[in-house]
Amino acid sequence: MNTVTDRKLLPPWSREEFEQQLRAKGAGYHIHHPFNIRMNSGLLSPEQIRGWVANRFYYQIRIPQKDAAIIANCPDRDTRRKWVRRILDHDGDDSHEGGIEAWSRLGVAVGIPRDELWSLGLVVPGVRFAVDAYVNFARTAPWHEAVCSSLTEMFAPRIHKDRLAGWPQHYPWIDPDGLRYFRERITLAERDVGHGLQVTLDHFTSRAQQERALEILQFKLDILWAMLDAVEKAYP
């Protein structure tokens, strides 16, 4: 049964089974990418660390635009009121500096001058293409599909915890204050997953819709994997 017609005939997974299918996608998360494995094993050079930080920064500054696109397409007031917190989490406000500024501090901590980081001159074409494709998806897809794509956050707390546990030992030359982004994102990711998962479970109810959700989540996993492919090629 591989055709769309066949999929429509299949009974939907229960809510619990559907969530298990979504979480099983974690096997393809970029925590398993060879570049990330080497990074968390202390095997990267300072140049490679800086290359990764500079390129990931492009992802960080585009995330609020992705979230704004979801809000622009979403007719549900309650969802918009919850989702807008994500923009402030990254852009910051009068009460906190936000994730983008925290990542800027990481850049300085690994030896990238602030002006050089913000110039985006170190961003390689493959990373720029992948991130732009993700933002474009959020702008053009139905809002609940864009929400579903955010569920890679289910797997994010572990990758942040690994960096916090290993980087001080493996890369003592990095100012520990620069790791603030990873510490803050653990709690925020866990909060965001609850809402994104609820939206996905509520809106993808037929078997065909559920399998579409898995395809969307795989698309986002591929975006993150492709970014590391590009960084790995640029910084072998």
Side-chain angles (χ1 to χ4, degrees):
M1 286 189 179
N2 293 318
T3 68
V4 173
T5 301
D6 290 335
R7 286 163 56 178
K8 288 181 178 179
L9 298 176
L10 293 171
W13 290 306
S14 69
R15 198 175 178 92
E16 293 74 20
E17 290 172 327
F18 182 29
E19 181 175 343
Q20 289 177 0
Q21 291 285 339
L22 291 166
R23 291 188 180 278
K25 283 290 185 179
Y29 191 51
H30 68 290
I31 195 172
H32 304 297
H33 192 285
F35 189 88
N36 186 73
I37 291 173
R38 293 202 307 275
M39 179 164 58
N40 285 346
S41 299
L43 300 178
L44 296 190
S45 67
E47 180 185 13
Q48 289 172 316
I49 291 288
R50 285 190 283 269
W52 175 76
V53 169
N55 278 274
R56 182 77 182 192
F57 182 65
Y58 186 64
Y59 179 81
Q60 303 302 327
I61 64 172
R62 296 283 272 152
I63 287 300
Q65 295 176 343
K66 177 269 297 184
D67 289 323
I70 292 175
I71 291 174
N73 290 334
C74 179
D76 182 67
R77 177 188 178 195
D78 185 58
T79 297
R80 293 196 306 266
R81 292 175 69 176
K82 291 178 181 178
W83 207 266
V84 74
R85 297 178 303 187
R86 296 171 179 246
I87 297 177
L88 298 178
D89 287 342
H90 277 80
D91 279 341
D93 56 24
D94 292 340
S95 63
H96 74 292
E97 64 181 16
I100 291 175
E101 183 58 32
W103 198 273
S104 296
R105 292 179 182 273
L106 174 62
V108 172
V110 302
I112 307 173
R114 182 181 177 88
D115 289 347
E116 184 176 7
L117 182 72
W118 279 90
S119 75
L120 305 180
L122 297 175
V123 179
V124 300
V127 168
R128 190 182 297 272
F129 183 85
V131 174
D132 289 353
Y134 179 43
V135 176
N136 186 61
F137 173 79
R139 286 174 173 163
T140 58
W143 70 272
H144 53 275
E145 291 196 356
V147 167
C148 177
S149 72
S150 75
L151 288 181
T152 50
E153 290 176 337
M154 292 189 294
F155 320 122
R158 179 186 165 190
I159 206 170
H160 297 320
K161 291 175 183 178
D162 285 351
R163 291 164 186 160
L164 290 169
W167 279 33
Q169 174 187 353
H170 297 314
Y171 308 109
W173 52 273
I174 299 177
D175 184 350
D177 184 61
L179 306 182
R180 182 186 309 174
Y181 176 88
F182 304 136
R183 288 191 292 270
E184 293 177 347
R185 282 307 303 172
I186 293 172
T187 301
L188 293 175
E190 291 172 346
R191 180 205 70 190
D192 291 345
V193 163
H195 181 221
L197 189 59
Q198 178 185 346
V199 169
T200 300
L201 296 177
D202 287 346
H203 283 80
F204 294 82
T205 54
S206 72
R207 182 61 170 269
Q209 290 171 332
Q210 291 170 338
E211 293 193 10
R212 170 61 179 160
L214 295 178
E215 292 171 355
I216 293 167
L217 186 52
Q218 184 61 55
F219 162 74
K220 175 61 180 307
L221 290 166
D222 290 346
I223 290 288
L224 297 172
W225 198 275
M227 289 171 61
L228 279 189
D229 279 348
V231 172
E232 184 176 47
K233 184 175 181 179
Y235 298 90

